[in-house]
Amino acid sequence: MDNTKKVILFNKKEECSGCSACVSACPVSAIDFREDNEGFLYPYINTDLCIQCGKCVRICPITGDRDNKESPKKYYAARINDSSVRMESSSGGIFSLLAEWIESKHGVIYGAEFDADYTVRHSRAEHSKEWTKFKTSKYLQSRMENIFLQVKNDLIAGRFVLFTGTPCQISGLINYLGETSKEKLITCDLICHGTPSPKIWVEYLKFIEKSNQRKIGYVNFRSKENSGWHRSKLNILDINGEVLVDEGKENNLFFKLFSNNLILRPSCYICKYADIRRPGDITLGDFWGIEKLFQEFDDNKGISLIICNTEKGENILEKISKDMTYFEVQQEQCIQPNLERPSYCPETRQRFWHNYFKRGGIYAAKQLGLISCNMRDQIIFFYDRVINKIMRLKRNEDSETL
């Protein structure tokens, strides 16, 4: 191979969302994912195998052309009529209706589920006992593995396919499919705050298990059981069903790191899908603020915001409408921060990761005041500051000597 023509997937990490389109599309399997020091997966090319066809670069949803669904665009507040399903869902339970319709057509549903270690992967399902695992929110980026290829094979076989995922995953899939018929493909993108570090999540789970001397057996990022939809909690149980964690995002350490944007993937801070132009046929999310607009419709069990971005999206909504209560709203009534702009990158992000690599996540969180410090912590922080100051002075002296 001529290395002077080396294919470059990205120049900086902000230019890769980890959607897996390039890995899936490579005709010679020359690309694989590697985990970086923050726990995010990035594609790397084996130059010994690469044939320099450039397909990986052409289909990249970040550096390539954007596929925008400009019209029609309609907005709805909605909730499934089955209250029990709604309480098991993160918002209004609309995904379940979409999945049920696809299943009734002997189709295939793709979504994110927890793995055995409570990291997240995309999976394929044909029956409700399988796709039920996709219902609740997972605030992590899912591993795609060979999912795009499975979707393609299902479409070639003439089956209906529902694919749910983040906007960059949807866009990556559409680019990967290329000329493959998408007539029976229904894409559903999610309103996304950003994807947090899997490494920090795994470390947090280990911390919970070690602190309680018990093994985790269940995780729900958005449990409504005791506090309802507006104040849903991270609920973690042990293998016997005993509560290990039951905290709202304002009190939970992982959610503090996530909501303060300290541990998001670098590409999330410049995400070009964080606006009203969406890549999916349907966009789903929480209808935050509905209690201020339509108080009588909000029963604290969860209300979905549905955005129909295509005629196909409108048609599928009509097919499931008998099993839900919904009404049309105006764009200005349902706009949310991540429908206007990406999550901002805080100045303290670099400081968090510097301290994390130095002494771990708990230390880094304490340094930023996200959890309380005891006297021992304060002494450690003091000595760290003194040592850092001495090192800076030493470097200044060395540079002056030179």
Side-chain angles (χ1 to χ4, degrees):
M1 184 192 118
D2 183 2
N3 283 319
T4 61
K5 297 180 180 180
K6 181 179 178 181
V7 176
I8 299 175
L9 288 172
F10 55 91
N11 292 304
K12 51 185 179 179
K13 290 184 175 180
E14 289 85 350
E15 295 176 351
C16 176
S17 67
C19 74
S20 85
C22 59
V23 177
S24 302
C26 181
V28 293
S29 301
I31 307 174
D32 61 0
F33 273 127
R34 299 177 193 172
E35 183 178 302
D36 76 346
N37 60 350
E38 293 182 358
F40 299 109
L41 296 177
Y42 289 90
Y44 287 88
I45 299 174
N46 182 335
T47 55
D48 293 330
L49 297 177
C50 178
I51 59 174
Q52 301 171 355
C53 65
K55 187 175 183 179
C56 54
V57 176
R58 290 194 299 274
I59 69 169
C60 176
I62 302 300
T63 59
D65 293 332
R66 177 172 174 176
D67 179 24
N68 297 319
K69 304 292 192 300
E70 294 291 353
S71 63
K73 184 84 70 174
K74 291 186 178 181
Y75 309 84
Y76 301 93
R79 64 190 189 197
I80 190 172
N81 293 334
D82 188 328
S83 293
S84 62
V85 173
R86 190 152 53 111
M87 286 299 291
E88 294 171 355
S89 306
S90 294
S91 51
I94 304 306
F95 165 77
S96 292
L97 295 180
L98 295 171
E100 285 173 357
W101 187 84
I102 293 291
E103 183 177 349
S104 74
K105 299 297 180 182
H106 307 289
V108 183
I109 300 95
Y110 288 87
E113 69 170 334
F114 284 118
D115 219 332
D117 61 354
Y118 295 98
T119 55
V120 179
R121 64 174 179 177
H122 247 69
S123 295
R124 180 182 184 275
E126 297 188 37
H127 307 290
S128 59
K129 65 180 180 180
E130 298 168 329
W131 60 253
T132 296
K133 300 174 185 178
F134 304 160
K135 287 197 299 185
T136 57
S137 295
K138 287 93 178 172
Y139 292 110
L140 293 165
Q141 187 168 30
S142 56
R143 301 189 312 279
M144 302 302 289
E145 297 171 350
N146 67 340
I147 287 295
F148 284 4
L149 177 60
Q150 292 183 56
V151 172
K152 184 176 183 177
N153 289 338
D154 284 328
L155 291 173
I156 291 173
R159 304 187 70 173
F160 277 97
V161 171
L162 171 65
F163 186 94
T164 60
T166 60
C168 57
Q169 290 173 333
I170 299 290
S171 189
L173 172 65
I174 292 170
N175 288 0
Y176 165 80
L177 290 173
E179 298 302 316
T180 303
S181 174
K182 304 174 190 66
E183 182 182 355
K184 292 188 174 182
L185 172 65
I186 299 163
T187 54
C188 178
D189 70 65
L190 309 173
I191 301 174
C192 180
H193 178 79
T195 55
S197 164
K199 175 180 282 190
I200 297 298
W201 171 244
V202 169
E203 182 172 306
Y204 172 73
L205 293 181
K206 289 179 179 178
F207 170 74
I208 295 300
E209 289 187 329
K210 184 176 180 180
S211 299
N212 292 277
Q213 292 297 301
R214 286 183 282 173
K215 190 170 179 59
I216 291 170
Y218 172 84
V219 172
N220 187 345
F221 277 108
R222 296 274 303 279
S223 174
K224 305 174 185 176
E225 185 175 351
N226 298 316
S227 53
W229 172 55
H230 286 286
R231 299 186 65 81
S232 59
K233 296 180 178 181
L234 172 58
N235 183 228
I236 300 178
L237 308 179
D238 68 11
I239 56 176
N240 297 314
E242 297 295 323
V243 175
L244 298 177
V245 175
D246 189 40
E247 296 177 324
K249 64 180 181 180
E250 67 279 2
N251 296 318
N252 179 261
L253 174 57
F254 181 78
F255 264 111
K256 285 181 181 181
L257 297 173
F258 172 56
S259 59
N260 282 285
N261 304 339
L262 293 166
I263 56 173
L264 302 186
R265 189 182 181 97
S267 61
C268 296
Y269 301 115
I270 58 169
C271 177
K272 65 181 183 180
Y273 301 103
D275 63 20
I276 208 65
R277 299 169 298 160
R278 313 295 293 183
D281 296 303
I282 292 174
T283 297
L284 285 181
D286 295 276
F287 199 129
W288 297 124
I290 195 167
E291 72 281 0
K292 301 174 184 176
L293 298 169
F294 308 101
Q295 187 175 6
E296 69 285 354
F297 192 63
D298 177 26
D299 57 2
N300 201 25
K301 293 181 180 180
I303 306 297
S304 291
L305 168 61
I306 303 175
I307 307 175
C308 288
N309 304 303
T310 64
E311 184 177 350
K312 188 190 292 184
E314 276 290 320
N315 290 339
I316 187 69
L317 186 66
E318 176 62 29
K319 294 180 188 300
I320 65 173
S321 60
K322 64 181 177 63
D323 293 313
M324 68 180 186
T325 304
Y326 71 113
F327 55 89
E328 189 171 356
V329 297
Q330 299 303 307
Q331 177 180 316
E332 59 270 19
Q333 293 177 304
C334 61
I335 204 69
Q336 301 178 19
N338 289 114
L339 288 175
E340 293 184 303
R341 58 189 177 275
S343 298
Y344 72 95
C345 182
E347 294 180 1
T348 49
R349 187 187 191 277
Q350 185 176 356
R351 181 182 167 195
F352 169 82
W353 283 105
H354 172 79
N355 287 324
Y356 171 82
F357 296 132
K358 188 177 182 179
R359 293 184 184 270
I362 299 300
Y363 172 85
K366 287 180 177 179
Q367 276 277 18
L368 293 177
L370 297 178
I371 50 180
S372 59
C373 304
N374 55 33
M375 182 60 69
R376 179 178 177 274
D377 296 323
Q378 293 177 28
I379 292 171
I380 292 173
F381 296 160
F382 172 76
Y383 278 108
D384 280 346
R385 287 194 295 270
V386 170
I387 292 170
N388 287 335
K389 187 173 182 179
I390 292 171
M391 291 179 68
R392 283 197 303 271
L393 291 172
K394 182 69 167 61
R395 284 196 297 269
N396 290 338
E397 289 176 359
D398 290 343
S399 62
E400 288 175 2
T401 301
L402 292 173

